[in-house]
Amino acid sequence: MNRDRKEEGEYMAIINGKEVLAEGQSLLEYLRDQGFDLKRLAVEVNGTIIKRGTYGDYIINEYDRVEIVCFVGGG
């Protein structure tokens, strides 16, 4: 759920350097909504790596800083 402006009662998180309306989504919901390949990611929230098996347990909070890194294979 990515919208351009903040409405009353909604809050922003910083994800990969962009302000995003997080609205209390779990990290897993956000990643799936955005179409990420969950097997090829590393996710850091506020400087802490989040383990893949716990993405559903982490609820994105206001002012969180989330960095998502996708791994790409190749030669």
Side-chain angles (χ1 to χ4, degrees), residues 23-34:
E23 297 186 34
Q25 280 187 302
S26 75
L27 184 56
L28 181 61
E29 288 173 314
Y30 177 81
L31 294 169
R32 284 186 176 155
D33 286 350
Q34 298 302 309

Side-chain angles (χ1 to χ4, degrees), residues 5-16:
R5 62 187 175 94
K6 181 178 177 179
E7 296 176 18
E8 188 173 333
E10 297 176 328
Y11 54 83
M12 307 296 284
I14 307 295
I15 300 180
N16 286 356

